[in-house]
Amino acid sequence: MNENIINIEHISKVYTVGDVKVHALYDVSLRIDSTEYVAIMGPSGSGKSTLMNMLGCLDTPSGGKYDFKTRNVSLMTDNELAEIRNREIGFVFQTFNLLSRSNALHNVELPLIYAGVPSAERKERANQALISVGLGDRVHHKPNELSGGQRQRVAIARALVTNPAIILADEPTGNLDSKTGEEIMLLFHEINQKGNTIILVTHEEYIAQHAARVIRVRDGLVERDEAIVNRYIPGISKPESAVK
Amino acid sequence: MRINYEVFSVAFGSIRQNRLRAGLTILGVVVGIFSIIVIMTIITMLQNSIESGFSDLNKNTFQIQKWEAMRMGPHHHGDRNRKDITIEDFDRLQGMLTQALYIGAEQWSFGRVVKYGNKETNPNVQIAGMTIGALRNNNVKVEVGRDFIQTDIDFARNVCLIGMDVVDKIFTGVDPLGQQVIIDGLPITVVGVLERTPQLFGQSKDNYIVFPISSWQIIYGKTGRSVNITVMSHSKEDYNQVIDAAMGYMRTIRKVAPGEDNDFYIFSNESLISQVNDITSGIKIGALVVSIIALLAAGVGIMNIMLVSVTERTKEIGIRKAVGAKRADILIQFLFEAILLCIIGGVIGIALGVGLGNLVGKLINAQTAIPYNWIAIGISTCVFVGVLFGTYPAYKAANLDPIEALRHET
Ligand SMILES: Nc1ncnc2c1ncn2[C@@H]1O[C@H](COP(=O)(O)OP(=O)(O)OP(=O)(O)O)[C@@H](O)[C@H]1O
Ligand SMILES: [Mg+2]
């Protein structure tokens, strides 16, 4: 029996732009347990990123309740939230969000710095993470010296480096060719096999088929939430459209 | 809170990246610290020189004069008609002040011509009238010939001791002893030649002639000129006691009513130092005011630049918070950058101040000095200014909402 990690009930997020109220999230309830592999799909502007920010303890909901590992997130202090982001969550942003002045190694090191990991170990682990995303030869490159796909992989390495309980990835393969994308999906698969929870946002059915469960969002509401029967396991089974 | 390598490298990196901006910002700190350090360096050099200028012998002497030699501003009392200190005052004091090792009286006349045969000096010779005690207190030593004896003074003999500069000028190839020199029309017999004294500040002090004070008074007059009394105590230990005793006796001799101020002035080592301090304290306060104004202006500049920096780096702050930086981490990072800016400015200001101070000090022949305590004060002030003006921007940075900071476009 897997323990519950994420439990959101009737979450909403309202933005007020001028006089107009935008419901980025209308009323979303979800339960995600540890070791799950979840894909979130939906049209552009449907609220996927907003939901991910919420799950990643970066943003606070306008209404509803969020329990992370049975602790009520809205009751946590800023420092407790920072600690959860640092230790429990690896976030891959849709826009990468890398430090533009720092090289790849330092970008990947960053979460370890705030976790208080000693320098030598930090460098070693950051290096390993970069190697695992295929950037072993680009550790000293700055983001503007890397391609879009390479930046995305640095962002992924940064999310992996702390070995977090959950990886939240907002379109992690959006900028990658199918081969590199496949390598990343293999990486996620391995991490998931080790027992880490993975939640990823994607527009591609093919990527979504790597997950065990797909949640479809539309207009700030969960449209469908279902298990994938014919999962595509990287390197083992062939991709076949098989979503029930 | 984690003060680690990251904090240092980010701060240094940020300053390096904005070198010109940082340089302009810390200019005020440089000026503020420089102005106080340069003044303090020069003053410290002066004080050191004065204190080391007291020879071991001088350390136990003090002088009694009519006026404070160094006066700042107009007289505060209406006692312009202060009585001169007379030779009779001195005689009475000598009788009373038995605690002293030596007590002497002296008077000086400047810019005199000394003639010998057809040779004469420039009109710049100093003529002193002294008692035996004054010779001791001034450490006047006879090299050849004889010293004054009491009868020279008692009978106002026309004899003199002659300094080496005068000898060099008018006695080339002649033994001065027993020769007669003409001073202000009067023939005087040379009975002793004085030891050459070491030069101070590159100037010779041997261009003088000593008479018995009684003879001096006959030549230059007794009235309208105040006698200068010098006293030497037996030891450093009883120095202050002798000063107190001399002051009491002088008050009696000059009939100063109880509660009234002294109508004479005692120059002791301390009084000399305190006089120098009086003069320098005005300069110090001036430098301090300039420093404080410059540092306040600099502080506002630093606050401004740090606020700009926080805005520019909003996205970076968002990223750091997203991966787990706490408020304190961000606060320390920005606060440290502000402090670092101040310290860099301070170090430059100190280097310039000590350097230029010593350069100026060298010109007036003072000893090299580094005002360590003021350097410490300067650095602490820099840290203080950094904290004072860096806290608000750092606080602003620390309190940014992570998701809003991430959305910030730069
Ligand atoms: N800060 C904001 N202020 C106002 N409206 C916002 C803000 N952030 C998001 N929204 C709105 O909320 C809705 C959901 O945005 P979100 O970024 O979650 O979409 P998404 O599903 O991630 O889309 P995409 O697939 O294009 O990334 C959009 O209509 C967007 O305009
Ligand atoms: Mg999105």
Short mmCIF file of all heavy atoms in Angstrom, two decimals, chain B residues 337-373:
data_model
loop_
_atom_site.label_atom_id
_atom_site.label_comp_id
_atom_site.label_asym_id
_atom_site.label_seq_id
_atom_site.Cartn_x
_atom_site.Cartn_y
_atom_site.Cartn_z
N GLU B 337 26.50 41.69 0.30
CA GLU B 337 26.96 42.45 -0.86
C GLU B 337 27.09 43.94 -0.51
O GLU B 337 28.08 44.59 -0.87
CB GLU B 337 26.01 42.25 -2.04
CG GLU B 337 26.55 42.87 -3.31
CD GLU B 337 25.70 42.52 -4.52
OE1 GLU B 337 25.17 41.38 -4.55
OE2 GLU B 337 25.58 43.37 -5.41
N ALA B 338 26.10 44.45 0.23
CA ALA B 338 26.16 45.86 0.63
C ALA B 338 27.35 46.11 1.55
O ALA B 338 28.08 47.09 1.39
CB ALA B 338 24.86 46.26 1.33
N ILE B 339 27.55 45.20 2.50
CA ILE B 339 28.67 45.36 3.44
C ILE B 339 29.99 45.26 2.68
O ILE B 339 30.92 46.04 2.91
CB ILE B 339 28.60 44.29 4.55
CG1 ILE B 339 27.35 44.53 5.41
CG2 ILE B 339 29.84 44.33 5.42
CD1 ILE B 339 27.07 43.42 6.40
N LEU B 340 30.05 44.33 1.76
CA LEU B 340 31.29 44.14 0.98
C LEU B 340 31.63 45.42 0.20
O LEU B 340 32.78 45.86 0.18
CB LEU B 340 31.13 42.95 0.04
CG LEU B 340 32.39 42.58 -0.75
CD1 LEU B 340 33.45 42.04 0.20
CD2 LEU B 340 32.08 41.54 -1.81
N LEU B 341 30.60 46.01 -0.41
CA LEU B 341 30.81 47.27 -1.13
C LEU B 341 31.44 48.30 -0.20
O LEU B 341 32.42 48.96 -0.54
CB LEU B 341 29.48 47.81 -1.66
CG LEU B 341 28.99 47.32 -3.01
CD1 LEU B 341 27.60 47.87 -3.28
CD2 LEU B 341 29.94 47.75 -4.12
N CYS B 342 30.86 48.43 1.00
CA CYS B 342 31.36 49.41 1.97
C CYS B 342 32.78 49.09 2.38
O CYS B 342 33.62 49.98 2.51
CB CYS B 342 30.46 49.44 3.20
SG CYS B 342 28.86 50.16 2.86
N ILE B 343 33.05 47.81 2.61
CA ILE B 343 34.38 47.45 3.09
C ILE B 343 35.43 47.70 1.99
O ILE B 343 36.51 48.22 2.28
CB ILE B 343 34.41 45.98 3.56
CG1 ILE B 343 33.63 45.86 4.87
CG2 ILE B 343 35.85 45.50 3.76
CD1 ILE B 343 33.59 44.48 5.45
N ILE B 344 35.07 47.38 0.76
CA ILE B 344 36.02 47.66 -0.33
C ILE B 344 36.32 49.17 -0.36
O ILE B 344 37.47 49.58 -0.42
CB ILE B 344 35.45 47.18 -1.69
CG1 ILE B 344 35.39 45.65 -1.72
CG2 ILE B 344 36.31 47.70 -2.85
CD1 ILE B 344 34.71 45.09 -2.96
N GLY B 345 35.25 49.98 -0.28
CA GLY B 345 35.44 51.43 -0.24
C GLY B 345 36.31 51.84 0.93
O GLY B 345 37.21 52.67 0.81
N GLY B 346 36.03 51.23 2.09
CA GLY B 346 36.77 51.55 3.31
C GLY B 346 38.24 51.21 3.18
O GLY B 346 39.11 52.00 3.56
N VAL B 347 38.53 50.03 2.62
CA VAL B 347 39.92 49.60 2.50
C VAL B 347 40.68 50.54 1.55
O VAL B 347 41.80 50.96 1.85
CB VAL B 347 40.00 48.14 2.00
CG1 VAL B 347 41.41 47.78 1.57
CG2 VAL B 347 39.53 47.19 3.09
N ILE B 348 40.02 50.93 0.46
CA ILE B 348 40.66 51.87 -0.46
C ILE B 348 40.91 53.20 0.26
O ILE B 348 41.99 53.78 0.19
CB ILE B 348 39.80 52.09 -1.72
CG1 ILE B 348 39.71 50.78 -2.51
CG2 ILE B 348 40.38 53.20 -2.60
CD1 ILE B 348 38.74 50.82 -3.68
N GLY B 349 39.87 53.66 1.00
CA GLY B 349 40.01 54.92 1.73
C GLY B 349 41.14 54.87 2.75
O GLY B 349 41.91 55.82 2.89
N ILE B 350 41.25 53.74 3.45
CA ILE B 350 42.30 53.59 4.46
C ILE B 350 43.67 53.59 3.80
O ILE B 350 44.60 54.29 4.23
CB ILE B 350 42.08 52.30 5.27
CG1 ILE B 350 40.90 52.50 6.24
CG2 ILE B 350 43.33 51.93 6.06
CD1 ILE B 350 40.41 51.23 6.87
N ALA B 351 43.79 52.84 2.70
CA ALA B 351 45.09 52.76 2.01
C ALA B 351 45.51 54.16 1.54
O ALA B 351 46.65 54.58 1.77
CB ALA B 351 45.00 51.80 0.83
N LEU B 352 44.57 54.88 0.92
CA LEU B 352 44.89 56.23 0.45
C LEU B 352 45.22 57.14 1.63
O LEU B 352 46.16 57.92 1.57
CB LEU B 352 43.71 56.81 -0.34
CG LEU B 352 43.44 56.19 -1.71
CD1 LEU B 352 42.21 56.84 -2.35
CD2 LEU B 352 44.64 56.37 -2.62
N GLY B 353 44.42 57.05 2.70
CA GLY B 353 44.59 57.92 3.85
C GLY B 353 45.94 57.71 4.53
O GLY B 353 46.67 58.67 4.80
N VAL B 354 46.26 56.44 4.80
CA VAL B 354 47.53 56.15 5.47
C VAL B 354 48.69 56.54 4.56
O VAL B 354 49.67 57.15 5.00
CB VAL B 354 47.61 54.64 5.85
CG1 VAL B 354 49.00 54.29 6.35
CG2 VAL B 354 46.58 54.32 6.92
N GLY B 355 48.54 56.24 3.27
CA GLY B 355 49.60 56.56 2.31
C GLY B 355 49.86 58.06 2.23
O GLY B 355 50.98 58.52 2.44
N LEU B 356 48.80 58.80 1.98
CA LEU B 356 48.96 60.24 1.81
C LEU B 356 49.36 60.90 3.13
O LEU B 356 50.17 61.81 3.15
CB LEU B 356 47.66 60.86 1.28
CG LEU B 356 47.87 62.22 0.63
CD1 LEU B 356 48.45 62.06 -0.76
CD2 LEU B 356 46.57 62.99 0.57
N GLY B 357 48.78 60.42 4.24
CA GLY B 357 49.11 60.95 5.56
C GLY B 357 50.60 60.83 5.82
O GLY B 357 51.26 61.77 6.27
N ASN B 358 51.15 59.65 5.53
CA ASN B 358 52.57 59.44 5.78
C ASN B 358 53.43 60.28 4.85
O ASN B 358 54.51 60.74 5.24
CB ASN B 358 52.93 57.96 5.64
CG ASN B 358 52.67 57.21 6.94
OD1 ASN B 358 53.40 57.38 7.91
ND2 ASN B 358 51.61 56.44 6.98
N LEU B 359 52.93 60.48 3.63
CA LEU B 359 53.66 61.32 2.68
C LEU B 359 53.76 62.75 3.22
O LEU B 359 54.83 63.35 3.26
CB LEU B 359 52.92 61.32 1.34
CG LEU B 359 53.79 61.41 0.11
CD1 LEU B 359 54.64 60.17 -0.04
CD2 LEU B 359 52.92 61.62 -1.12
N VAL B 360 52.61 63.29 3.68
CA VAL B 360 52.59 64.64 4.24
C VAL B 360 53.44 64.69 5.50
O VAL B 360 54.23 65.61 5.71
CB VAL B 360 51.14 65.08 4.55
CG1 VAL B 360 51.13 66.38 5.34
CG2 VAL B 360 50.36 65.25 3.26
N GLY B 361 53.30 63.65 6.34
CA GLY B 361 54.07 63.58 7.58
C GLY B 361 55.56 63.60 7.30
O GLY B 361 56.34 64.25 8.00
N LYS B 362 55.98 62.88 6.26
CA LYS B 362 57.40 62.83 5.89
C LYS B 362 57.90 64.24 5.56
O LYS B 362 59.02 64.59 5.90
CB LYS B 362 57.60 61.92 4.69
CG LYS B 362 57.91 60.48 5.06
CD LYS B 362 59.40 60.31 5.29
CE LYS B 362 59.75 59.10 6.11
NZ LYS B 362 59.09 58.91 7.38
N LEU B 363 57.03 65.02 4.89
CA LEU B 363 57.44 66.36 4.50
C LEU B 363 57.75 67.22 5.72
O LEU B 363 58.61 68.08 5.66
CB LEU B 363 56.34 67.03 3.66
CG LEU B 363 56.07 66.39 2.29
CD1 LEU B 363 54.98 67.15 1.56
CD2 LEU B 363 57.34 66.34 1.45
N ILE B 364 57.04 67.00 6.83
CA ILE B 364 57.34 67.77 8.04
C ILE B 364 58.21 66.96 8.98
O ILE B 364 58.27 67.22 10.17
CB ILE B 364 56.05 68.25 8.74
CG1 ILE B 364 55.14 67.07 9.07
CG2 ILE B 364 55.32 69.27 7.91
CD1 ILE B 364 54.00 67.43 9.98
N ASN B 365 58.85 65.92 8.45
CA ASN B 365 59.84 65.15 9.21
C ASN B 365 59.29 64.40 10.40
O ASN B 365 60.01 64.12 11.34
CB ASN B 365 60.97 66.05 9.69
CG ASN B 365 62.03 66.20 8.62
OD1 ASN B 365 62.64 65.22 8.21
ND2 ASN B 365 62.20 67.41 8.14
N ALA B 366 58.00 64.10 10.38
CA ALA B 366 57.45 63.35 11.51
C ALA B 366 57.69 61.86 11.28
O ALA B 366 57.96 61.42 10.16
CB ALA B 366 55.97 63.63 11.63
N GLN B 367 57.60 61.09 12.38
CA GLN B 367 57.84 59.66 12.25
C GLN B 367 56.65 58.97 11.59
O GLN B 367 55.51 59.35 11.83
CB GLN B 367 58.06 59.05 13.63
CG GLN B 367 59.36 59.48 14.26
CD GLN B 367 59.48 58.96 15.67
OE1 GLN B 367 58.53 58.43 16.22
NE2 GLN B 367 60.65 59.13 16.23
N THR B 368 56.93 57.94 10.84
CA THR B 368 55.88 57.15 10.18
C THR B 368 54.91 56.61 11.22
O THR B 368 55.32 56.21 12.30
CB THR B 368 56.51 55.97 9.44
OG1 THR B 368 57.58 56.47 8.67
CG2 THR B 368 55.50 55.28 8.55
N ALA B 369 53.63 56.62 10.89
CA ALA B 369 52.65 56.10 11.84
C ALA B 369 51.48 55.50 11.09
O ALA B 369 51.14 55.92 9.99
CB ALA B 369 52.15 57.21 12.76
N ILE B 370 50.90 54.48 11.69
CA ILE B 370 49.66 53.90 11.17
C ILE B 370 48.64 53.94 12.30
O ILE B 370 48.87 53.36 13.35
CB ILE B 370 49.88 52.45 10.69
CG1 ILE B 370 50.86 52.45 9.53
CG2 ILE B 370 48.56 51.83 10.28
CD1 ILE B 370 51.29 51.07 9.10
N PRO B 371 47.55 54.70 12.13
CA PRO B 371 46.59 54.84 13.23
C PRO B 371 45.67 53.62 13.31
O PRO B 371 44.54 53.64 12.86
CB PRO B 371 45.81 56.11 12.86
CG PRO B 371 45.90 56.17 11.37
CD PRO B 371 47.16 55.48 10.95
N TYR B 372 46.22 52.56 13.93
CA TYR B 372 45.50 51.27 13.94
C TYR B 372 44.10 51.39 14.49
O TYR B 372 43.16 50.82 13.96
CB TYR B 372 46.28 50.23 14.74
CG TYR B 372 47.54 49.78 14.05
CD1 TYR B 372 48.79 50.21 14.49
CD2 TYR B 372 47.48 48.95 12.93
CE1 TYR B 372 49.94 49.82 13.85
CE2 TYR B 372 48.62 48.56 12.28
CZ TYR B 372 49.86 48.99 12.74
OH TYR B 372 50.98 48.62 12.08
N ASN B 373 43.97 52.13 15.60
CA ASN B 373 42.63 52.20 16.21
C ASN B 373 41.63 52.87 15.27
O ASN B 373 40.49 52.46 15.18
CB ASN B 373 42.69 52.90 17.57
CG ASN B 373 43.49 54.18 17.52
OD1 ASN B 373 44.16 54.47 16.52
ND2 ASN B 373 43.44 54.96 18.57
#
